[in-house]
Amino acid sequence: MKIIYMAGWPIPSRAANAVHVMKMCQAYASSEHDVTLIYPQVDIDNLGEISDVYSHYDVKNNFIMQPVKRLKGRIGLIIFAITASYKAKKAKADVIHSRCLMSAWFACHTGIPVIFEKHDSLENQGKITKAIFRSLLKKKNFSKLVVISDALKKHISTSFQIESKDIISAHDGADPFPEHDIAPPFEKNEERTQVGYIGHLYPGRGIDIIGEAAKHLTHIDFHLVGGTQEDISHWKNELSGLKNVYFHGYIPHKETIAYLKKVDILLAPYQRKVSGYKGEGNTVQWMSPLKIFEYMSTGIPMICSDLSVLHEILVHKKNVFLCAPDKSNEWVDTIKYISENYDEAKAIALEAQREFLETYTWKKRAQFIVKNLTQKERVQT
């Protein structure tokens, strides 16, 4: 099957959705589909020239990347959407998978079945955006809506009167964790437990919780990987008195594996309000964080915030340790407990890894979406 994937966000960028798009294109292609990624070309994060984007995201060069220059503003978005749709029609695609609402709407006029993927509820979107979404749902060639959690599926189904059968709930994913050795990014003190966090440092990510834990657990080292220079400077100032907190800065996605291999415990201290990229919105009711699946893939004990949407994936002391997002004492106690009862914690982590390999790899996700297309578009993978 020939699949055109339309991204709504520039690639490369520091946003998690850029990782999502690249991994999904690889996953579709790995299931023997012919995949072309059409994406807006603009450097929004000052990443500079990256000679090999495939390598930057640690994906195979098994799909075509087709950049389209995008102008700023709504007019630029419309021009990009029309151009992407034209390219899909010219390529005679069998299916279009779009992460861009405007592109999905225009793509429905090509006569090609369209999948639109949405990761939030549209509650904070303007009237025009909601009107375009409602119009998309009525298009003859609109095939399926893909969302990232059952909670989001239920909410959108109710809010926009969409039949449940027209929505595919597919959690995010990750690649299997590599077994080969990787050069260590820092010198590990084998006598001290090493705790890791990988991700952004903006509001809702629980960096203050990590700081509180570090204050009480001075015999344990805490490593934070990621963040903008501004956010790193802020938190370095906030936690300046702590000698056991290390900031490693922004690391290309493929290089985070080396940091994961060096830690003993992983933290995901999401708060009750979780902002998206650059601190916008609140995704806490619907989210399916890439971080959770990347952590599950490692077989390393994980502590995560006890949030209702994550119960779709995580079960306390079965595949994770859950703590109240706003009670730092629980995090302190749990980190201490894991460090003192590591064999028990490791068994729980290995169960998480088993569940991940069974259900949550990117390839499994791509196959699940294809399987759930309408009979007309269905292809065995």
Side-chain angles (χ1 to χ4, degrees):
M1 181 164 66
K2 181 174 286 188
I3 300 173
I4 298 293
Y5 200 113
M6 296 180 180
W9 199 260
I11 297 172
S13 80
R14 296 186 184 184
N17 58 25
V19 176
H20 177 106
V21 167
M22 293 294 288
K23 295 294 187 179
M24 279 299 296
C25 286
Q26 175 187 242
Y28 275 136
S30 295
S31 295
E32 300 184 355
H33 298 299
D34 180 353
V35 181
T36 297
L37 168 61
I38 301 176
Y39 63 99
Q41 186 180 42
V42 56
D43 185 359
I44 62 169
D45 288 324
N46 298 316
L47 293 178
E49 187 69 26
I50 293 176
S51 59
D52 188 345
V53 179
Y54 298 100
S55 177
H56 182 77
Y57 285 100
D58 195 25
V59 298
K60 298 175 183 176
N61 186 350
N62 61 355
F63 61 94
I64 296 169
M65 296 187 67
Q66 198 169 105
V68 174
K69 289 189 179 295
R70 179 185 158 179
L71 302 174
K72 293 182 179 179
R74 189 175 293 274
I75 296 299
L77 174 59
I78 292 172
I79 293 172
F80 169 78
I82 293 172
T83 304
S85 299
Y86 170 77
K87 287 179 177 294
K89 185 171 184 177
K90 187 177 180 181
K92 298 180 180 179
D94 296 303
V95 172
I96 295 170
H97 185 146
S98 179
R99 287 288 307 274
C100 171
L101 175 59
M102 190 69 75
S103 297
W105 190 87
F106 276 102
C108 279
H109 296 82
T110 63
I112 301 167
V114 174
I115 303 167
F116 176 55
E117 183 161 345
K118 188 66 178 164
H119 290 194
D120 59 54
S121 67
L122 284 93
E123 281 186 344
N124 298 318
Q125 303 293 318
K127 292 182 179 179
I128 293 176
T129 299
K130 290 178 181 177
I132 294 171
F133 181 65
R134 288 191 177 93
S135 177
L136 170 69
L137 300 176
K138 297 176 183 177
K139 296 293 182 184
K140 179 180 178 181
N141 289 99
F142 173 71
S143 177
K144 294 286 184 179
L145 175 68
V146 175
V147 297
I148 53 171
S149 64
D150 294 339
L152 184 54
K153 175 177 178 175
K154 182 178 179 180
H155 176 79
I156 291 183
S157 177
T158 302
S159 300
F160 293 91
Q161 290 78 54
I162 312 174
E163 290 190 45
S164 180
K165 66 179 181 63
D166 293 326
I167 306 177
I168 300 171
S169 177
H171 287 287
D172 271 330
D175 285 328
F177 199 59
E179 296 181 2
H180 59 272
D181 291 332
I182 297 175
F186 59 86
E187 193 68 32
K188 179 177 178 179
N189 186 336
E190 298 294 342
E191 296 181 358
R192 294 167 64 89
T193 298
Q194 307 294 310
V195 176
Y197 168 86
I198 295 179
H200 289 289
L201 308 182
Y202 45 69
R205 301 291 161 151
I207 309 307
D208 51 338
I209 291 288
I210 297 174
E212 283 298 312
K215 287 179 186 178
H216 290 86
L217 300 169
T218 56
H219 61 293
I220 291 175
D221 293 332
F222 292 79
H223 299 271
L224 285 78
V225 179
T228 65
Q229 200 55 54
E230 181 181 359
D231 288 336
I232 293 169
S233 297
H234 168 78
W235 285 109
K236 277 186 174 181
N237 182 61
E238 289 288 315
L239 307 177
S240 60
L242 300 176
K243 303 301 182 184
N244 58 334
V245 177
Y246 302 89
F247 290 87
H248 298 279
Y250 170 76
I251 303 296
H253 185 262
K254 71 172 184 177
E255 295 177 21
T256 61
I257 293 168
Y259 290 84
L260 289 168
K261 281 182 171 286
K262 293 296 289 185
V263 299
D264 306 301
I265 302 171
L266 290 163
L267 304 182
Y270 295 105
Q271 298 301 285
R272 298 192 190 281
K273 180 178 180 182
V274 178
S275 301
Y277 184 57
K278 296 194 174 180
E280 299 172 350
N282 183 17
T283 62
V284 75
Q285 292 176 276
W286 332 113
M287 66 181 185
S288 179
L290 296 181
K291 188 196 323 294
I292 298 300
F293 303 101
E294 289 173 351
Y295 284 4
M296 289 177 74
S297 76
T298 65
I300 297 169
M302 167 176 61
I303 310 173
C304 183
S305 291
D306 191 356
L307 299 169
S308 60
V309 69
L310 298 181
H311 292 175
E312 296 180 15
I313 310 156
L314 304 175
V315 179
H316 182 51
K317 289 194 173 181
K318 180 177 182 289
N319 55 15
V320 71
F321 290 84
L322 295 175
C323 292
D326 49 1
K327 294 183 178 179
S328 60
N329 61 303
E330 289 190 14
W331 292 81
V332 171
D333 292 344
T334 304
I335 292 170
K336 186 178 179 182
Y337 180 86
I338 292 174
S339 67
E340 295 173 354
N341 299 273
Y342 203 74
D343 287 345
E344 176 192 339
K346 185 66 175 179
I348 291 170
L350 291 175
E351 170 60 18
Q353 186 180 53
R354 185 196 66 76
E355 292 178 15
F356 161 78
L357 291 170
E358 187 175 277
T359 308
Y360 298 116
T361 67
W362 287 119
K363 189 171 182 179
K364 295 276 189 180
R365 185 179 196 266
Q367 291 174 337
F368 180 74
I369 291 171
V370 170
K371 182 180 177 181
N372 282 277
L373 294 179
T374 58
Q375 190 65 42
K376 180 180 178 182
E377 298 122 20
R378 187 175 296 166
V379 173
Q380 295 297 322
T381 57

